[in-house]
Amino acid sequence: MDWTGRLRLRNLQMLLSLAQTQNISRSAVALNTTQPGLSKWLRELEADIGLPLFERHARGLKPTPYGEALIAHARRIEAHLDGARDDLAAMRDGGSGRVVIGASGASASDTVPLAVFKLMQRMPQASIKLFESTTDRLLTLLGDGDLDVVVGRSSRNLPDLAIRSETLYVEPIHFVARPRHPLFAKASVDWDDLFAHRWLIWPKGTPIRDSLDDALAAAGRVLPAPYVESNSVTLNLTLLNNSDMIGLASHRAAMRFAQMNAMRIVPLRLSGFGTVTMYWREDAAGRAAVAATLACLHEVVAEQSGRKERPT
């Protein structure tokens, strides 16, 4: 029997605790076991595997690359078990399963909530959890098994080979400002008008920021300083609504906020475009609530694009 046959759920908890505390004494207390017993178990596991999982230092432990790889697998197993627990709990309480959806700023104001409305109609008893962050962070959580579906900007750097993806739509990006901004009193708006105000932009490395940088380069312009960086939709809305700052938003988000009279699109065309993609774990697609979520996202995008809905 290889070493995997001797692993138990308790062992996974021990490994994850050591990864978190990086200290045998603190993990022993947290796990309600003894320090010698925990040290002995770790030595035996490393001997069974034939690889060092942690480096020992005076201040504690540091995972080796082998340890990091095993810890990542342990986290995914733990996440799958958490999902199974929540699925069964939802079904026990009369529900029809559970889905955890991650949304970036590009999809959180429009595509994802509209899909959630459809999902609630299709599966009224489903347990739905929503989490908003940047696409790179969401994809990490998806790779760890903490999320089932992610809708965000397209990324070439997927953290796990088990992640599947599908482009939902390509859309322009817009400059936006508060509805009563002085710019909207002008007959026309040019770059110099925008440069007269402070900009509110997304952090460097985010897809929408990359699109802005490309658009500026195409126009022969550089980013005006000083500016404010923020990756929070809530903060951005508050800042824009209470100042003459100029912000940036994807088309669907800008249109949704315009309908809410929270902002208006500045009439200056940008050359940049953004691509929104949905991501999911291959091993979760068979779950009813996850499959229904993917179908609802397809329907929302088809309706917005005026295309015939895909069969579900």
Side-chain angles (χ1 to χ4, degrees):
M1 179 184 294
D2 66 24
W3 59 272
T4 59
R6 289 187 288 275
L7 278 180
R8 300 291 181 267
L9 292 180
R10 171 70 170 173
N11 301 144
L12 295 180
Q13 294 172 347
M14 294 159 72
L15 180 66
L16 291 174
S17 178
L18 289 172
Q20 180 181 11
T21 67
Q22 298 192 6
N23 184 282
I24 287 182
S25 296
R26 289 201 293 270
S27 285
V29 172
L31 295 165
N32 195 28
T33 189
T34 65
Q35 181 176 340
L38 186 57
S39 296
K40 180 175 181 290
W41 169 79
L42 179 58
R43 288 195 304 270
E44 291 177 348
L45 177 61
E46 290 177 319
D48 283 346
I49 297 174
L51 295 168
L53 300 178
F54 290 90
E55 296 175 0
R56 275 73 168 175
H57 300 283
R59 295 184 178 180
L61 305 174
K62 180 181 179 182
T64 65
Y66 309 112
E68 292 284 7
L70 184 58
I71 289 163
H73 284 291
R75 285 182 177 136
R76 282 192 284 270
I77 293 170
E78 182 183 51
H80 284 308
L81 289 172
D82 288 345
R85 177 199 62 210
D86 293 345
D87 260 347
L88 292 175
M91 295 171 72
R92 179 194 60 208
D93 296 335
S96 50
R98 161 189 175 271
V99 63
V100 186
I101 307 169
S104 76
S107 63
S109 58
D110 185 83
T111 306
V112 167
L114 292 178
V116 168
F117 288 142
K118 283 185 173 292
L119 181 61
M120 289 190 295
Q121 293 173 348
R122 181 171 301 189
M123 302 181 73
Q125 301 302 316
S127 173
I128 305 169
K129 295 185 179 181
L130 302 172
F131 184 80
E132 182 181 352
S133 188
T134 56
T135 300
D136 57 345
R137 173 61 177 154
L138 293 173
L139 289 177
T140 297
L141 293 172
L142 181 65
D144 290 341
D146 295 320
L147 300 176
D148 298 313
V149 178
V150 166
V151 186
R153 290 294 180 189
S154 298
S155 174
R156 300 172 186 170
N157 302 315
L158 298 181
D160 194 306
L161 293 176
I163 293 178
R164 297 292 176 260
S165 65
E166 179 184 334
T167 298
L168 291 176
Y169 52 82
V170 178
E171 62 179 351
I173 58 175
H174 302 290
F175 286 116
V176 292
R178 65 184 178 91
R180 296 182 179 273
H181 196 285
L183 282 177
F184 298 119
K186 292 179 173 289
S188 62
V189 176
D190 58 26
W191 284 101
D192 291 335
D193 294 323
L194 294 182
F195 277 47
H197 302 278
R198 182 171 297 204
W199 287 15
L200 173 61
I201 61 175
W202 291 80
K204 198 168 185 63
T206 57
I208 195 168
R209 172 66 177 277
D210 292 341
S211 297
L212 173 62
D213 291 343
D214 291 343
L216 286 170
R221 299 277 181 159
V222 296
L223 193 64
Y227 52 80
V228 176
E229 279 192 8
S230 165
N231 66 355
S232 167
V233 174
T234 303
L235 284 173
N236 291 355
L237 277 173
T238 301
L239 289 169
L240 290 174
N241 270 278
N242 291 277
S243 74
D244 285 339
M245 298 175 73
I246 304 296
L248 196 71
S250 58
H251 178 72
R252 282 170 172 77
M255 293 297 292
R256 181 66 56 184
F257 288 131
Q259 291 174 2
M260 297 165 60
N261 201 35
M263 63 174 62
R264 284 179 63 184
I265 295 174
V266 176
L268 180 68
R269 186 175 180 83
L270 278 170
S271 62
F273 286 84
T275 304
V276 172
T277 297
M278 69 177 184
Y279 306 86
W280 67 95
R281 290 191 60 83
E282 187 176 35
D283 51 11
R287 289 167 42 205
V290 175
T293 298
L294 299 178
C296 289
L297 286 166
H298 279 141
E299 291 177 14
V300 166
V301 173
E303 290 171 359
Q304 291 176 327
S305 303
R307 296 192 304 266
K308 184 179 179 180
E309 291 184 4
R310 304 182 183 205
T312 58

